[in-house]
Amino acid sequence: MGNTFGQLFRVTTFGESHGGGVGVVIDGCPPRLEISAAEIQQELDRRRPGQSKITTPRKEADTCEILSGVFEGKTLGTPIAILVRNKDTRPQDYDEMAQKYRPSHADATYDAKYGIRNWQGGGRSSARETIGRVAAGAIAKKILFAVAGIEIIGYVKRIKDLEGVIDPNTVTTAQVESNIVRCPDAECAERMIEHIEQIGRQGDSIGGVVECVARNVPKGLGEPVFDKLEADIAKGVMSLPASKGFEIGSGFAGTLLTGSKHNDEFYTDERGEVRTLTNRSGGIQGGISNGENIILRVAFKPTATIRKEQRTVTREGEDTLLAAKGRHDPCVLPRAVPMVEAMVALVLCDHLLRHQGQCKVLTN
Amino acid sequence: MGNTFGQLFRVTTFGESHGGGVGVVIDGCPPRLEISAAEIQQELDRRRPGQSKITTPRKEADTCEILSGVFEGKTLGTPIAILVRNKDTRPQDYDEMAQKYRPSHADATYDAKYGIRNWQGGGRSSARETIGRVAAGAIAKKILFAVAGIEIIGYVKRIKDLEGVIDPNTVTTAQVESNIVRCPDAECAERMIEHIEQIGRQGDSIGGVVECVARNVPKGLGEPVFDKLEADIAKGVMSLPASKGFEIGSGFAGTLLTGSKHNDEFYTDERGEVRTLTNRSGGIQGGISNGENIILRVAFKPTATIRKEQRTVTREGEDTLLAAKGRHDPCVLPRAVPMVEAMVALVLCDHLLRHQGQCKVLTN
Amino acid sequence: MGNTFGQLFRVTTFGESHGGGVGVVIDGCPPRLEISAAEIQQELDRRRPGQSKITTPRKEADTCEILSGVFEGKTLGTPIAILVRNKDTRPQDYDEMAQKYRPSHADATYDAKYGIRNWQGGGRSSARETIGRVAAGAIAKKILFAVAGIEIIGYVKRIKDLEGVIDPNTVTTAQVESNIVRCPDAECAERMIEHIEQIGRQGDSIGGVVECVARNVPKGLGEPVFDKLEADIAKGVMSLPASKGFEIGSGFAGTLLTGSKHNDEFYTDERGEVRTLTNRSGGIQGGISNGENIILRVAFKPTATIRKEQRTVTREGEDTLLAAKGRHDPCVLPRAVPMVEAMVALVLCDHLLRHQGQCKVLTN
Amino acid sequence: MGNTFGQLFRVTTFGESHGGGVGVVIDGCPPRLEISAAEIQQELDRRRPGQSKITTPRKEADTCEILSGVFEGKTLGTPIAILVRNKDTRPQDYDEMAQKYRPSHADATYDAKYGIRNWQGGGRSSARETIGRVAAGAIAKKILFAVAGIEIIGYVKRIKDLEGVIDPNTVTTAQVESNIVRCPDAECAERMIEHIEQIGRQGDSIGGVVECVARNVPKGLGEPVFDKLEADIAKGVMSLPASKGFEIGSGFAGTLLTGSKHNDEFYTDERGEVRTLTNRSGGIQGGISNGENIILRVAFKPTATIRKEQRTVTREGEDTLLAAKGRHDPCVLPRAVPMVEAMVALVLCDHLLRHQGQCKVLTN
């Protein structure tokens, strides 16, 4: 109970890493939107394992099928169900992990909560679960662009202590996709890739930070006091596997400034729009978008499943050692980029629909 | 639309800073719990303005009244409504701000979204709104302790660059309340107080970080994949006024470690419980509590409303200057401590009720 | 947990019949709507006890106070909290009922569920709880009329076997309010009043049927497949105290016709609108409004609390007899009319906001 | 937006009558419940078209596949997705109906709401949508029986004016399934079948009433004031295709009695349980189950799609005539029985989980 996200653009995901498949049901999609499986596939391919030398070598095509909600290429306004079949499973890789808990993984807590667990490949706690999110995010992105020209661009900002220099106001998707680590600072990307390969060879893993920008967001999205825009985005990205931190605008660093240095002063631009001279607010004030770019960052810990030997216990509580088998990403960051974009898109799309409903109704 | 929080322990707040009052309706409180207005008042007094020389000098008693849901000192299982009347208002302090937007405040976005705004003291975006949260949090805390012995302790970890040395595993409420800045590191607290006073005299403001620990949380709370425990906590605290960042366990700093250094290895303790040697996970793995202490941090920006003069615009978009009148906190951190505790308590209480329902039912 | 109704126009009620008061928080009201306490009071006065010789002689002014969400006579888009203080309580009337369960009342089930009960006057199960619904309904009605010219008119269709002849397509509020039983068939109303008085003198009670029409409802409201318009209306009115049945359009009687007799054939009217020749569908087809008048009926059982002596048991399970004291309505129907109107208004208002959000967004 | 039902046992259905398939995602199922596709199939077979000479001759095997949430024959506590592929479609039967609205069907309202419609076989408004409900209901039934011994039995009570004599307190599933019309009064069933066949030959249709009983329901289920047990059941069954009315216990007929005749007097039975002498309340008082059998009735109108010629209009608003092609049920009642059972099971299961969570938590 907790597999549904959103109020008006409502997404329910399902599926374990091994079993029939994974997918999503999207309820509340506006009707008459043109959408194709190919467009969704494009986003799924960015999330797909085996896409490059720095991701897991598991080969999963992750081909999606639209089961409902689309007719003659257009959305019906009815639920859109999307299914991706599971393939290329090697349950034997997980034999040992059926008995031994992976440190910092969800194996032990799933057992504690449910008293049962699909031990093949992480089950529901596998990153494979995010396929449904990314598929739904592809549709959300399309709606956001069609309705308001909103574009959402995520990228790897930092791998361990290697930090790229990137301007969120001008970065393009082409720049992000120009290298396999998805860091638009080409020189830094080189070093990141090299470092990930080296760590992978050691059987270890590393983490980092994804930054994401949403541009052309209209003023007025967000529903105080609990469903503030940054609160819902925080929930969305903190529900992604391996995320450990979130910040918006100036974030933690902003706490080092005084108010007079931190505040975003207002001015009126040439078109008569009220704008801010700086953007330490990250595009949101009082929980409501202010028309500036929304800029946020998400911290992802190093992958928990590693080949290095570690202390752990068995399901029966016996002390033991585990050196994980299987084919795991030494660094989730490149594949986390489309996941972060998806969650930001889901939140913005939900709030766009909520806002249009509540506040425009009297003047329509 | 966004003033309700929680699924089974469901809190709805209402009220602007000026007007009849502020309050909360709590739905889903277990019946037969002993509760008194005095217990709730105790938490409200920690949030209250005018409580010390480093908070706003506004004198608001914030006396609460329980309107429903309690009978002969015990909860009925019906909605508990709590009301705090507004007092000591000086709308004349806000005359100028009726026309001029405060930089980095919600004035402009509320106008953009709703086309109307109670300009007296921040209206709904005032921190006064959190009274309802803190009142509900007092009840949530009591339930958590009664059911499972859970205790939640927040404190000021950092003011600007002044960081206290505090052990979350042993810190006590008495230590937190032993000084007016609510930093249990007494020596650091002195310097924090001094710095806040100095900044206040300059008409400026500062921010910082609140850390919060939840102890004795049973294994199994949290509902993947969207309602992961840390995701709901993130949403809760990121919906507080002035919060800009959230992290759980190792947080952003954890991204600098390799997996082999970051993972929390398992062992079995003397009572046969599966435990972790370290706690970089912050008490949550895969979105589910693992029985270790839940440890989190929230970044609060410097107060937006300051007496220093700043550039801004009027409602009509004219460029102008504003030096805010009124009586504002130079630093929200001491009063943010009970707010963070309240949000953590609301989330844990909700998940405790959700978990008991879903997973115990077959064995009851 | 179950005191909130609606998705976008979301109403949370609170309060027991004895205690601080009863009320409601309305979240999601569009901003900039003119509203006054007097307008809400007008609807509350229609629900008020002691309004005529055929209702309970309890004198409760039920004066409402708007606590939040309205500023200078207009809604802010923030939660509107409305409070009605409890008055004129005679808990001594309930001394006996603290020990003895009233047959067909909620006394016993509340005890079974919660293990505690405010036995003074029915507590949360008292019809007094509907004050919050009627107050919220007053605002919903105003929105519906302002946005789309929708009007909602309920009336007493039948008392026991006395059935009025009323045309839902032309009936007016003035006709409904022209007599104290709220049956717009004046001649039948006379007989109804006489019968209620006679039953009341016998210490007994009677029930009947309220019919309600919503006119000028635009096509397109309702969200299949679960939140069909009639499904949400059914839930709304079946949550009213004493309701035992619901039907829409032809209802139970429609099951006696064949399809060829029952179907509403289509035609195009002079303005080019697709209309139906008959209206056995009751204004809703496939869960979505079709632009015809929405017509529904609700069955209310005879009041459970009567002065006639009946068999019952004590809280301890001892067999005993009870002749209820206190001042009870011999027939709830006249006061149920504004309650039914309120629930229909809440549902329509919620769906109006939901529909504007989902389907207009692409063309805005 | 409206395709999810339930709070803790939460069901989301998807799919149109033509397209990839129909199905359901069930979130909140307790873990470690044994369940197989065969058990679900058994319920689907009762809903299936072509099961007898009085249902539509469409041959749809409706074979279900469990995509997720079950591992080695047991539920995981994660979402259970179930898919039924669409087969045997004859879109050519619908060519005419792509242009002409079927009277009293959802064709016109879907077009009005969404501006687009899958005209092949009713699309989302097809009764085929209920496959997901019945599949989820099969699981809910199993939980209810496993946890509390609850059994739910529906049956055809009336076809047009042919009414069976059936005792809800003793009726068995075997009796219901002993004939194709699902009326456990064997003699009346004969006449019903004959009448349905005759009506079918005329190209016309008829309706009737399904009655349903839930036995062994524990005291205490239901969440006043809005989520009363009968209110949620009412919503559930009124969201079924073709339903026009709902009543609980004495229902509409109960309005003809006085209170002293209608009230259910209490007594204490030999085991010390508080019981009622009669059951006009239908097992629910004040919105909460009282331990007596829950008894309810649902009115279903005659099938809208008939072969007899009727007046209608085209999508462009031209007056025309339509004699529907395709293979339609002359009477939906026999197939509606498992649908009503499913909705009652979904509501009871949801409330069982909600109740265990809220009220047992303090004493666990």
Side-chain angles (χ1 to χ4, degrees):
Chain A
M1 229 298 295
N3 295 283
T4 296
F5 189 76
Q7 300 287 317
L8 286 199
F9 190 79
R10 197 182 284 180
V11 160
T12 302
T13 70
F14 61 87
E16 286 76 45
S17 62
H18 294 67
V22 296
V24 67
V25 180
I26 302 151
D27 197 10
C29 182
R32 303 184 311 281
L33 180 80
E34 289 189 24
I35 195 79
S36 69
E39 288 169 289
I40 296 163
Q41 194 62 50
Q42 201 172 349
E43 284 298 305
L44 291 179
D45 287 347
R46 298 175 71 209
R47 197 218 71 92
R48 190 169 61 82
Q51 62 183 263
S52 78
K53 63 182 177 180
I54 57 170
T55 65
T56 163
R58 288 198 309 278
K59 288 283 178 230
E60 298 169 76
D62 288 352
T63 309
C64 72
E65 177 189 8
I66 298 176
L67 293 171
S68 67
V70 177
F71 180 62
E72 299 180 341
K74 287 186 181 161
T75 59
L76 285 165
T78 62
I80 302 171
I82 301 171
L83 174 64
V84 170
R85 293 280 177 184
N86 287 328
K87 295 267 175 63
D88 182 27
T89 57
R90 291 200 208 162
Q92 68 277 17
D93 283 352
Y94 291 89
D95 278 355
E96 192 178 7
M97 293 187 267
Q99 296 308 318
K100 300 178 179 179
Y101 292 138
R102 282 171 289 175
S104 285
H105 208 283
D107 299 343
T109 49
Y110 268 68
D111 255 4
K113 182 177 186 70
Y114 301 111
I116 186 174
R117 176 170 63 92
N118 182 342
W119 45 264
Q120 298 170 315
R124 182 71 178 148
S125 76
S126 160
R128 192 159 175 76
E129 165 267 317
T130 61
I131 284 177
R133 306 182 187 218
V134 171
I139 295 178
K141 276 182 174 181
K142 183 135 193 201
I143 296 168
L144 290 168
F145 190 78
V147 172
I150 297 170
E151 54 181 5
I152 295 168
I153 303 178
Y155 44 86
V156 172
K157 173 71 178 168
R158 182 158 63 72
I159 295 286
K160 213 163 174 248
D161 54 355
L162 301 170
E163 182 161 332
V165 178
I166 304 133
D167 180 357
N169 302 308
T170 58
V171 67
T172 66
T173 298
Q175 288 165 355
V176 175
E177 296 300 314
S178 69
N179 61 63
I180 58 177
V181 77
R182 292 202 169 87
C183 172
D185 176 340
E187 187 273 328
C188 188
E190 286 296 315
R191 288 183 291 138
M192 288 172 171
I193 293 165
E194 196 176 323
H195 194 53
I196 293 170
E197 289 190 289
Q198 180 195 328
I199 284 283
R201 281 190 298 268
Q202 295 166 7
D204 211 335
S205 64
I206 45 176
V209 173
V210 168
E211 190 167 79
C212 185
V213 60
R215 296 195 292 236
N216 301 327
V217 179
K219 293 180 182 187
L221 304 195
E223 303 284 334
V225 297
F226 293 114
D227 298 351
K228 288 178 174 176
L229 199 52
E230 70 270 48
D232 275 355
I233 295 174
K235 171 166 173 151
V237 296
M238 289 305 298
S239 74
L240 286 171
S243 65
K244 301 297 288 180
F246 166 80
E247 48 180 29
I248 181 96
S250 63
F252 280 87
T255 64
L256 299 171
L257 301 176
T258 60
S260 58
K261 291 276 187 291
H262 187 272
N263 282 347
D264 294 317
E265 294 181 303
F266 287 112
Y267 73 103
T268 302
D269 74 5
E270 60 281 3
R271 294 171 308 165
E273 279 295 310
V274 172
R275 301 285 309 274
T276 61
L277 288 164
T278 50
N279 186 17
R280 293 185 196 96
S281 300
I284 303 174
Q285 289 172 331
I288 300 169
S289 61
N290 68 353
E292 305 298 323
N293 290 339
I294 294 178
I295 301 168
L296 57 107
R297 281 168 297 282
V298 189
F300 289 92
K301 68 174 184 176
T303 319
T305 311
I306 55 176
R307 295 200 314 279
K308 278 203 173 174
E309 194 173 73
Q310 294 177 285
R311 289 181 57 175
T312 190
V313 296
T314 65
R315 287 193 69 164
E316 287 71 36
E318 304 274 309
D319 287 322
T320 186
L321 295 172
L322 174 69
K325 293 196 189 64
R327 300 153 293 170
H328 308 283
D329 291 90
C331 180
V332 299
L333 275 284
R335 293 176 57 204
V337 167
M339 299 178 201
V340 170
E341 288 178 3
M343 295 314 298
V344 173
L346 292 181
V347 173
L348 288 177
C349 191
D350 188 42
H351 278 275
L352 187 70
L353 297 188
R354 288 170 76 171
H355 181 54
Q356 302 279 7
Q358 187 187 341
C359 293
K360 293 273 177 75
V361 68
L362 278 176
T363 56
N364 259 0
Chain B
M1 230 298 294
N3 295 283
T4 296
F5 188 76
Q7 300 286 317
L8 287 199
F9 190 79
R10 196 182 285 179
V11 160
T12 303
T13 69
F14 61 87
E16 285 77 44
S17 62
H18 295 66
V22 297
V24 66
V25 180
I26 302 151
D27 198 9
C29 182
R32 304 184 310 282
L33 180 81
E34 288 189 25
I35 194 80
S36 69
E39 288 169 289
I40 295 164
Q41 193 63 51
Q42 202 172 348
E43 284 297 305
L44 291 179
D45 287 347
R46 299 174 71 209
R47 197 218 72 90
R48 190 169 61 81
Q51 61 183 263
S52 77
K53 63 181 177 181
I54 57 170
T55 65
T56 164
R58 286 198 309 277
K59 290 281 179 232
E60 297 170 74
D62 288 352
T63 309
C64 72
E65 178 189 8
I66 300 176
L67 292 172
S68 67
V70 177
F71 180 62
E72 299 180 340
K74 287 185 180 161
T75 58
L76 285 164
T78 61
I80 301 171
I82 300 170
L83 174 64
V84 170
R85 292 281 178 183
N86 287 328
K87 295 267 173 63
D88 182 27
T89 57
R90 290 200 209 162
Q92 70 278 18
D93 283 354
Y94 291 89
D95 277 355
E96 192 178 6
M97 292 187 265
Q99 295 309 318
K100 301 178 179 179
Y101 292 137
R102 281 171 289 175
S104 284
H105 209 283
D107 299 341
T109 50
Y110 267 69
D111 255 3
K113 183 177 184 69
Y114 300 110
I116 185 174
R117 176 171 62 93
N118 181 341
W119 45 264
Q120 298 170 315
R124 183 70 179 149
S125 76
S126 161
R128 192 159 176 76
E129 165 268 317
T130 61
I131 284 178
R133 306 183 187 217
V134 171
I139 296 178
K141 276 182 173 181
K142 183 137 193 198
I143 296 168
L144 291 169
F145 191 77
V147 172
I150 297 170
E151 53 182 7
I152 295 168
I153 302 178
Y155 44 85
V156 171
K157 173 71 178 168
R158 183 159 62 73
I159 296 285
K160 213 163 174 248
D161 54 355
L162 301 170
E163 181 160 333
V165 178
I166 304 135
D167 181 356
N169 302 308
T170 58
V171 68
T172 67
T173 298
Q175 288 166 356
V176 174
E177 295 301 312
S178 68
N179 60 63
I180 58 176
V181 76
R182 293 202 168 87
C183 172
D185 176 339
E187 187 272 327
C188 188
E190 286 296 315
R191 288 184 290 137
M192 288 172 170
I193 292 166
E194 196 177 322
H195 193 53
I196 294 170
E197 288 190 290
Q198 180 195 328
I199 285 284
R201 281 191 299 268
Q202 294 168 7
D204 211 335
S205 64
I206 45 177
V209 173
V210 169
E211 189 166 79
C212 186
V213 60
R215 296 194 293 235
N216 301 325
V217 178
K219 295 180 181 186
L221 304 195
E223 303 285 336
V225 296
F226 294 114
D227 299 351
K228 289 179 173 173
L229 198 52
E230 70 270 47
D232 275 355
I233 295 174
K235 171 166 173 153
V237 298
M238 290 305 299
S239 74
L240 286 170
S243 64
K244 301 298 289 181
F246 166 81
E247 48 180 29
I248 181 97
S250 64
F252 279 88
T255 62
L256 298 171
L257 302 175
T258 60
S260 58
K261 292 275 189 290
H262 187 271
N263 282 348
D264 294 317
E265 293 181 304
F266 287 113
Y267 74 103
T268 302
D269 73 6
E270 61 281 3
R271 294 171 309 166
E273 279 296 309
V274 172
R275 300 286 308 276
T276 61
L277 288 164
T278 49
N279 186 18
R280 293 186 196 95
S281 299
I284 303 174
Q285 289 173 330
I288 299 170
S289 61
N290 68 352
E292 306 298 322
N293 290 339
I294 294 178
I295 300 168
L296 57 106
R297 281 168 297 283
V298 189
F300 289 93
K301 68 173 186 178
T303 319
T305 311
I306 55 176
R307 294 200 315 279
K308 279 203 171 174
E309 195 173 72
Q310 294 176 285
R311 288 182 57 175
T312 189
V313 296
T314 65
R315 288 192 69 164
E316 287 69 38
E318 303 276 308
D319 287 322
T320 185
L321 295 172
L322 174 69
K325 292 197 190 63
R327 298 153 295 169
H328 307 284
D329 290 271
C331 180
V332 299
L333 275 284
R335 293 176 58 204
V337 167
M339 300 178 199
V340 169
E341 289 179 5
M343 296 313 298
V344 173
L346 292 181
V347 173
L348 287 177
C349 191
D350 188 42
H351 278 275
L352 187 70
L353 298 188
R354 289 170 75 170
H355 180 55
Q356 301 279 6
Q358 187 188 342
C359 293
K360 292 272 176 76
V361 69
L362 277 176
T363 58
N364 259 358
Chain C
M1 230 298 294
N3 296 283
T4 296
F5 189 75
Q7 300 287 317
L8 287 199
F9 190 79
R10 196 183 284 180
V11 160
T12 302
T13 69
F14 61 86
E16 285 76 46
S17 61
H18 294 66
V22 297
V24 66
V25 180
I26 302 151
D27 198 9
C29 181
R32 302 183 311 281
L33 181 80
E34 289 190 22
I35 195 81
S36 69
E39 288 169 290
I40 296 164
Q41 193 63 50
Q42 201 173 349
E43 283 297 305
L44 290 179
D45 287 348
R46 297 175 71 210
R47 196 219 72 90
R48 191 169 60 81
Q51 62 183 264
S52 77
K53 62 182 178 180
I54 57 170
T55 65
T56 164
R58 286 198 310 277
K59 288 282 178 234
E60 298 169 75
D62 289 352
T63 309
C64 72
E65 179 189 7
I66 299 176
L67 292 172
S68 67
V70 177
F71 181 62
E72 300 181 339
K74 286 186 181 160
T75 59
L76 284 164
T78 62
I80 301 171
I82 300 172
L83 174 64
V84 170
R85 292 280 177 183
N86 287 328
K87 295 266 174 65
D88 183 27
T89 57
R90 290 200 207 162
Q92 69 276 18
D93 283 353
Y94 291 89
D95 277 355
E96 191 178 8
M97 292 187 267
Q99 295 308 319
K100 300 178 179 179
Y101 293 138
R102 282 171 288 174
S104 284
H105 208 283
D107 299 342
T109 49
Y110 268 68
D111 255 4
K113 183 177 184 69
Y114 300 110
I116 185 173
R117 174 171 63 93
N118 182 342
W119 45 264
Q120 298 169 315
R124 183 70 179 149
S125 75
S126 161
R128 193 158 174 75
E129 166 267 317
T130 61
I131 284 178
R133 306 182 186 219
V134 171
I139 296 178
K141 276 183 174 180
K142 183 136 193 199
I143 296 168
L144 291 168
F145 191 77
V147 173
I150 297 171
E151 53 182 5
I152 295 169
I153 302 178
Y155 44 85
V156 171
K157 173 71 178 169
R158 181 158 63 72
I159 295 285
K160 214 162 173 250
D161 53 356
L162 301 170
E163 182 160 332
V165 179
I166 304 134
D167 181 356
N169 302 308
T170 58
V171 67
T172 66
T173 298
Q175 288 166 355
V176 175
E177 296 300 313
S178 69
N179 61 63
I180 58 177
V181 77
R182 293 204 169 85
C183 172
D185 175 339
E187 186 273 328
C188 188
E190 286 295 316
R191 288 183 291 136
M192 288 171 171
I193 293 166
E194 196 177 325
H195 193 53
I196 294 170
E197 288 189 290
Q198 179 195 329
I199 285 284
R201 281 190 298 268
Q202 295 166 6
D204 211 335
S205 65
I206 44 176
V209 174
V210 169
E211 190 167 77
C212 185
V213 60
R215 297 194 293 235
N216 300 326
V217 179
K219 294 180 182 186
L221 304 195
E223 301 285 335
V225 295
F226 293 115
D227 298 351
K228 289 179 174 174
L229 198 53
E230 71 270 48
D232 275 355
I233 295 174
K235 171 167 173 151
V237 297
M238 290 305 298
S239 74
L240 286 171
S243 65
K244 300 298 289 181
F246 166 80
E247 48 180 30
I248 181 97
S250 63
F252 279 88
T255 63
L256 298 171
L257 301 177
T258 59
S260 58
K261 291 275 187 293
H262 187 271
N263 282 348
D264 295 316
E265 293 181 305
F266 287 112
Y267 74 105
T268 301
D269 75 5
E270 61 282 2
R271 293 171 309 165
E273 280 294 310
V274 171
R275 300 285 309 275
T276 61
L277 287 165
T278 50
N279 186 18
R280 294 185 196 96
S281 299
I284 304 174
Q285 288 172 331
I288 300 169
S289 61
N290 69 353
E292 305 298 323
N293 291 338
I294 294 178
I295 300 169
L296 57 107
R297 281 168 298 283
V298 189
F300 289 92
K301 67 174 185 177
T303 319
T305 311
I306 55 176
R307 295 200 315 278
K308 279 203 172 173
E309 194 173 74
Q310 292 177 285
R311 287 181 58 177
T312 189
V313 296
T314 66
R315 288 191 69 165
E316 286 71 37
E318 304 275 307
D319 286 324
T320 185
L321 295 171
L322 174 69
K325 293 197 188 64
R327 299 154 293 170
H328 307 283
D329 291 89
C331 180
V332 299
L333 275 285
R335 294 176 57 204
V337 166
M339 299 179 200
V340 170
E341 289 178 4
M343 296 313 298
V344 173
L346 292 181
V347 172
L348 287 177
C349 191
D350 188 41
H351 278 275
L352 187 70
L353 298 188
R354 289 170 77 171
H355 180 54
Q356 302 278 6
Q358 186 187 341
C359 293
K360 292 273 176 75
V361 68
L362 277 176
T363 57
N364 260 359
Chain D
M1 229 299 294
N3 296 284
T4 296
F5 189 75
Q7 300 286 317
L8 287 199
F9 190 80
R10 198 182 285 180
V11 161
T12 303
T13 69
F14 61 86
E16 286 77 45
S17 62
H18 294 65
V22 297
V24 66
V25 180
I26 302 152
D27 198 10
C29 183
R32 304 183 310 281
L33 181 81
E34 288 189 24
I35 195 79
S36 69
E39 288 170 288
I40 296 163
Q41 194 63 51
Q42 201 171 349
E43 285 297 306
L44 291 179
D45 287 347
R46 298 174 70 209
R47 196 218 72 90
R48 189 170 61 81
Q51 62 183 264
S52 78
K53 63 181 177 180
I54 56 171
T55 65
T56 163
R58 286 198 308 278
K59 290 280 179 233
E60 297 169 76
D62 288 352
T63 309
C64 72
E65 178 189 8
I66 299 176
L67 293 171
S68 66
V70 177
F71 179 62
E72 299 179 341
K74 287 186 181 160
T75 58
L76 286 165
T78 62
I80 301 170
I82 300 171
L83 173 64
V84 170
R85 292 281 177 183
N86 287 327
K87 295 265 174 63
D88 183 26
T89 57
R90 290 200 207 161
Q92 69 277 20
D93 283 353
Y94 291 90
D95 277 355
E96 191 178 8
M97 292 187 265
Q99 295 309 318
K100 300 178 180 179
Y101 292 138
R102 282 172 288 174
S104 285
H105 209 283
D107 299 342
T109 49
Y110 268 68
D111 255 4
K113 182 177 186 69
Y114 301 110
I116 185 173
R117 176 170 63 92
N118 182 341
W119 45 264
Q120 298 170 314
R124 182 69 180 149
S125 76
S126 161
R128 192 160 176 75
E129 165 268 317
T130 62
I131 285 178
R133 306 182 186 219
V134 171
I139 296 177
K141 276 183 173 181
K142 183 136 192 199
I143 295 168
L144 290 169
F145 190 77
V147 172
I150 297 170
E151 53 182 7
I152 295 168
I153 302 178
Y155 44 85
V156 171
K157 172 71 178 169
R158 183 158 63 73
I159 294 286
K160 211 162 175 250
D161 53 356
L162 302 170
E163 182 161 332
V165 178
I166 305 135
D167 180 358
N169 302 307
T170 57
V171 68
T172 67
T173 298
Q175 287 166 357
V176 175
E177 295 301 312
S178 69
N179 60 64
I180 59 176
V181 76
R182 294 201 168 88
C183 172
D185 175 340
E187 186 273 328
C188 187
E190 286 296 316
R191 287 184 290 137
M192 288 172 171
I193 293 165
E194 197 176 321
H195 193 53
I196 294 170
E197 288 191 290
Q198 180 195 327
I199 285 285
R201 281 190 298 268
Q202 294 167 7
D204 211 334
S205 64
I206 45 177
V209 173
V210 169
E211 190 166 77
C212 186
V213 60
R215 296 193 293 236
N216 301 326
V217 179
K219 294 180 181 186
L221 304 195
E223 304 284 336
V225 296
F226 293 114
D227 298 352
K228 289 179 174 175
L229 198 52
E230 71 270 46
D232 275 355
I233 295 174
K235 172 168 171 149
V237 297
M238 290 305 300
S239 75
L240 287 170
S243 64
K244 300 298 288 182
F246 166 80
E247 48 180 29
I248 181 96
S250 63
F252 279 89
T255 63
L256 297 171
L257 301 176
T258 60
S260 57
K261 291 274 188 292
H262 187 272
N263 281 348
D264 295 317
E265 294 182 302
F266 287 112
Y267 73 103
T268 302
D269 74 6
E270 60 282 2
R271 295 171 310 166
E273 278 295 309
V274 172
R275 300 285 309 276
T276 61
L277 287 164
T278 49
N279 187 17
R280 291 184 198 97
S281 299
I284 303 173
Q285 289 173 330
I288 300 169
S289 60
N290 67 353
E292 305 297 323
N293 290 339
I294 293 176
I295 300 168
L296 58 106
R297 282 168 296 283
V298 189
F300 289 93
K301 68 173 185 178
T303 320
T305 311
I306 54 177
R307 295 201 314 278
K308 279 204 172 173
E309 195 173 73
Q310 294 176 285
R311 290 182 55 175
T312 189
V313 296
T314 64
R315 288 191 68 165
E316 286 71 36
E318 304 276 307
D319 287 322
T320 184
L321 295 172
L322 175 69
K325 292 200 189 63
R327 300 153 293 169
H328 307 284
D329 291 271
C331 179
V332 299
L333 276 284
R335 294 176 59 204
V337 167
M339 299 178 200
V340 170
E341 288 178 5
M343 295 313 298
V344 173
L346 293 182
V347 172
L348 287 177
C349 192
D350 188 42
H351 278 274
L352 188 70
L353 298 188
R354 288 170 76 170
H355 180 57
Q356 301 279 6
Q358 187 186 341
C359 293
K360 291 273 176 76
V361 68
L362 277 177
T363 58
N364 259 359

